[in-house]
């Protein structure tokens, strides 16, 4: 998925990517911005590890972030510069197949 955040304070609230058992195991983000991104530009990936203080990761061009999709709470802080990223999820095949069967059966 390609994500573009306009520079109008766009953000993404705190969440976990896989709360529904849809098979996503790992989240990989790759930033496509310029390498001169500053903290004042906002748009940081804020990770909320259990039992620890939040960690901000600036979206510098070429930087990648990888975390567990079904455990790591995270958000994007308000963005004041156009922010680009490519987001990829790695799936657990058995969990994904089960989720798809449940959807078909509910259908």
């Amino acid at each position: 998925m390609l994500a573009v955040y306009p520079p109008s304070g766009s953000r993404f609230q705190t969440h976990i990517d896989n709360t529904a058992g849809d098979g996503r195991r790992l989240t990989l983000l790759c930033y496509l911005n310029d390498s001169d991104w500053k903290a004042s530009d906002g748009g940081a990936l804020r990770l909320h590890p259990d039992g620890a203080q939040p960690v901000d990761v600036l979206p510098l061009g070429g930087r990648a972030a990888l975390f567990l999709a079904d455990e790591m709470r995270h958000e994007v802080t308000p963005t004041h510069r156009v922010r680009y990223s490519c987001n990829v999820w790695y799936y657990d095949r058995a969990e994904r197949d089960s989720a798809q069967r449940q959807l078909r059966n509910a259908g």
Side-chain angles (χ1 to χ4, degrees), residues 24-62:
R24 289 180 286 178
R25 280 288 174 242
L26 292 173
T27 298
L28 171 64
L29 307 173
C30 182
Y31 296 106
L32 309 173
N33 306 301
D34 293 331
S35 59
D36 64 345
W37 197 278
K38 298 181 273 320
S40 61
D41 294 325
L45 169 66
R46 180 168 290 157
L47 302 169
H48 296 274
D50 286 340
Q53 292 295 313
V55 176
D56 283 356
V57 178
L58 291 181
L60 300 174

Side-chain angles (χ1 to χ4, degrees), residues 70-90:
D70 58 348
E71 294 182 19
M72 181 59 67
R73 288 184 314 116
H74 61 285
E75 64 183 291
V76 175
T77 63
T79 304
H80 309 294
R81 180 175 173 181
V82 177
R83 178 189 185 274
Y84 302 97
S85 66
C86 178
N87 310 330
V88 177
W89 290 277
Y90 290 90

